[in-house]
Amino acid sequence: MILRRTIQLTCLALFMGALGAAVFSWSWFLPADLFLRLDPVLVGGTILSARQVTAAALPALAVLLSALFLGRAFCGYVCPLGTTLDGPDRLRAKTPRPGGLARLRPVKYWLLLFILGGALAGISLVFLASPLSLVTRFYGLVVYPVLAFLAEAGLGLAQPLIEGLDIDALLFVQVRTPRFATQLFVLVFFAALFAAAFLSPRFWCRYLCPGGALLGLLSRKPLVRRRVSKECIDCGKCRQACPMDAIPENPLATRHQECLVCRTCREVCPVAAVSFAPEKKKKGFALPGVSLERRGFLLAGMGGLALGLTGRTGLHAALAPEGPGRVNPPGLIRPPAALPEGLFLAQCVRCGECVAACPTNTLQPLWLQAGFFGLFSPAQNLRRGPCDPRCRVCAQVCPTGAVRLVETAQRVWAKTGTAVIDRQRCLAWEQDRKCLVCDEVCPFNAVEFRREEGLSVTVPHVIEDRCAGCGFCEHHCPVQNRAAITVTAQGALRLKAGSFEEEARSRGLSLSLREESGPASPGPGNPGGYPQNKAGGSGFTD
């Protein structure tokens, strides 16, 4: 038991470290998206929906193969969501009666088939129930901002003490509290999962997890599995203690597709009749026969397929052809270098890692602004923060390549939209008041001020072929509520492959950063993210 807890906490710490590396741009010995790529549902669903296999699928393949040898050990030892849910499980006053909710056991298989059915239609539904996507969203969008807020408040309270002790290292420390959309929904969802622990231990893993279902399909007779000797006295303690209800009425038998190899049954056995060991005679592996009602099995897959086909033909269908008749959600600005919308939604798993890692907090998870199939996908809220034209963090942490990782020189050309001035809201145009903010903060020199008849001050004009849609103008516009200059998705470059610079030049664009300045992300010494001179830099390196 101690060994299992140690492994669980170590894996959770590694997961948190990888997430922290993504959020704070730390140097870390593991890829920031490694745990996401371990999720077989996340990777498998993305491969089916995107029709593309990459080397990023290898970690998930290794997890699947491990089920043939160790059963669902990944769920019991490695999965950070399972470890997170083990905490509320320990608060139960008593162990629920085994098998009390056994009728719900097939639900996880139905949910798996539902997700795969949608993927066959080219629509990614993995964000609904992929365990690693869910837990990343929880820690990245809920836990991280709460901890940042508490740290910020703690520094404020400790400021008099810091000044009194003259601790120079802490005098200028700043903690920025990020703010995210859909946060309340994620919190309520996980509160429900935590509350479900009082109905059944590991409620999610037992009845809902499609990842556990996929591993269970390969775990009917794993090489290392539970064995019971003739010394068993049928006391029933193993059945009562099993967190997964993997032991039926006959304690000599085991539902291996449910077993987490947690060894709890061995710990509680009074006569040491339980062991976990390889089979002495090798009989080969057989794919399991899961006791699912055929009708439910088919309906789940057909339901996902039907939902996917509906998504292909709906009003906001991501895969609809461009041109007249295409209805795009207004104000939808995707991350820079994002794939074309159809491919983007097919490969984006809505894990929220890019949202949590965005240094300017401009990336936000969508609710229903882009329809149901755009739920939780990232988009820019430029009023919240601008997009640094040299930043590639979102691409660096994306586990599926929904945002392309390109060189910094190419990243500058990855146009996300074009700024538009609302003259009726602009202080210069409407009120004849001098305001130069949009020109001062624009890193592309895409705003020009000119004389116009009837006005005593110069007024701004956007030079569209110089504008990359970074949103510095919109973010810093002093007009409250809705800015007088906003970025639309017009002219955005969304390429599956090829050079952004070549495509941009072919469209007549001329994008280049000002020589005397470069945009900078919020951080110590520059909390507003204002452009700085060359000495200040942007904080990003190739």
Side-chain angles (χ1 to χ4, degrees):
M1 184 67 71
I2 295 177
L3 176 62
R4 175 172 174 258
R5 294 296 183 198
T6 301
I7 295 175
Q8 280 187 302
L9 293 176
T10 300
C11 290
L12 181 61
L14 291 174
F15 167 76
M16 297 292 287
L19 183 59
V23 171
F24 300 110
S25 298
W26 292 336
S27 295
W28 189 249
F29 66 95
L30 293 176
D33 60 352
L34 175 61
F35 276 84
L36 286 163
R37 290 192 279 122
L38 289 173
D39 188 336
V41 171
L42 184 152
V43 174
T46 302
I47 287 174
L48 282 178
S49 59
R51 311 291 196 267
Q52 181 178 352
V53 181
T54 66
L58 292 178
L61 178 61
V63 171
L64 282 177
L65 292 177
S66 73
L68 297 173
F69 299 92
L70 301 173
R72 289 181 61 182
F74 176 83
C75 304
Y77 290 81
V78 179
C79 179
L81 179 56
T83 303
T84 299
L85 296 177
D86 270 347
D89 281 351
R90 297 172 67 88
L91 300 178
R92 294 189 313 273
K94 61 180 181 179
T95 303
R97 180 174 62 86
L101 299 172
R103 291 178 299 176
L104 297 179
R105 194 176 291 125
V107 172
K108 60 180 177 288
Y109 295 99
W110 297 341
L111 188 54
L112 172 63
L113 290 169
F114 183 81
I115 291 173
L116 296 181
L120 288 175
I123 298 295
S124 177
L125 299 174
V126 297
F127 68 93
L128 295 174
S130 160
L132 271 298
S133 177
L134 290 176
V135 74
T136 302
R137 213 179 297 160
F138 173 66
Y139 281 107
L141 305 187
V142 177
V143 176
Y144 159 49
V146 169
L147 293 179
F149 174 81
L150 293 176
E152 185 179 27
L155 277 175
L157 292 174
Q159 195 66 26
L161 179 61
I162 293 172
E163 293 177 354
L165 296 176
D166 197 22
I167 306 176
D168 294 339
L170 295 178
L171 280 176
F172 302 102
V173 172
Q174 295 180 348
V175 178
R176 182 175 58 97
T177 301
R179 303 180 186 278
F180 300 115
T182 73
Q183 189 183 51
L184 181 60
F185 176 85
V186 176
L187 178 62
V188 171
F189 178 83
F190 270 85
L193 287 187
F194 293 147
F198 294 90
L199 297 177
S200 170
R202 284 246 179 175
F203 184 93
W204 165 264
C205 306
R206 281 195 191 193
Y207 307 121
L208 299 176
C209 181
L214 187 55
L215 293 177
L217 289 171
L218 300 174
S219 301
R220 183 169 177 257
K221 288 187 177 181
L223 181 64
V224 177
R225 59 181 184 266
R226 178 178 179 268
R227 304 181 187 281
V228 183
S229 67
K230 297 179 180 179
E231 284 76 18
C232 175
I233 58 176
D234 197 9
C235 63
K237 288 185 177 181
C238 57
R239 291 190 65 241
Q240 289 290 338
C242 180
M244 291 293 291
D245 189 28
I247 304 173
E249 292 291 338
N250 178 10
L252 300 178
T254 306
R255 300 185 185 97
H256 295 294
Q257 63 268 29
E258 304 294 333
C259 179
L260 302 181
V261 201
C262 65
R263 302 174 184 243
T264 301
C265 52
R266 190 182 71 170
E267 297 288 336
V268 301
C269 181
V271 294
V274 180
S275 64
F276 285 80
E279 189 174 8
K280 294 182 180 179
K281 295 182 179 181
K282 188 175 180 180
K283 296 181 179 180
F285 300 114
L287 290 176
V290 182
S291 57
L292 295 175
E293 188 177 331
R294 181 176 299 178
R295 182 178 301 174
F297 189 93
L298 293 175
L299 286 177
M302 291 177 63
L305 182 61
L307 183 62
L309 292 174
T310 301
R312 296 287 297 267
T313 58
L315 181 65
H316 293 291
L319 299 181
E322 296 287 349
R326 171 70 184 269
V327 179
N328 292 316
L332 182 64
I333 311 295
R334 291 298 188 189
L339 295 175
E341 190 68 7
L343 287 174
F344 176 77
L345 290 181
Q347 292 188 214
C348 176
V349 294
R350 281 69 148 185
C351 60
E353 187 145 346
C354 62
V355 174
C358 179
T360 60
N361 200 204
T362 183
L363 284 184
Q364 296 291 326
L366 294 180
W367 186 228
L368 292 172
Q369 297 95 318
F372 174 78
F373 295 102
L375 193 65
F376 295 120
S377 61
Q380 295 187 46
N381 184 328
L382 296 168
R383 199 58 167 154
R384 175 64 189 159
C387 181
D388 190 317
R390 290 182 293 189
C391 173
R392 301 179 298 158
V393 170
C394 52
Q396 289 168 340
V397 302
C398 180
T400 62
V403 181
R404 289 178 57 192
L405 180 58
V406 296
E407 296 296 329
T408 303
Q410 286 289 313
R411 162 65 184 87
V412 173
W413 293 87
K415 181 181 174 78
T416 56
T418 306
V420 177
I421 297 173
D422 184 345
R423 297 184 178 184
Q424 293 182 328
R425 298 183 61 80
C426 178
L427 298 178
W429 278 98
E430 180 66 16
Q431 300 181 29
D432 200 13
R433 292 170 54 187
K434 186 176 182 180
C435 178
L436 304 173
V437 171
C438 51
D439 178 42
E440 290 174 342
V441 300
C442 178
F444 288 91
N445 200 25
V447 180
E448 281 188 355
F449 275 76
R450 306 170 187 164
R451 288 286 180 182
E452 294 287 342
E453 184 178 354
L455 295 172
S456 63
V457 300
T458 55
V459 291
H461 294 262
V462 175
I463 312 302
E464 295 184 2
D465 60 2
R466 296 183 192 170
C467 178
C470 65
F472 270 83
C473 55
E474 179 176 344
H475 175 66
H476 292 292
C477 178
V479 177
Q480 296 301 302
N481 298 323
R482 190 176 79 252
I485 182 169
T486 56
V487 176
T488 71
Q490 178 180 348
L493 293 182
R494 307 280 294 275
L495 305 180
K496 179 181 179 182
S499 168
F500 281 95
E501 181 177 358
E502 291 179 5
E503 179 64 23
R505 289 188 182 279
S506 71
R507 297 187 185 187
L509 301 180
S510 178
L511 305 178
S512 61
L513 296 174
R514 284 180 174 177
E515 293 183 1
E516 72 277 8
S517 66
S521 301
N526 187 34
Y530 289 90
Q532 297 180 337
N533 58 29
K534 287 185 177 181
S538 70
F540 293 98
T541 57
D542 292 342

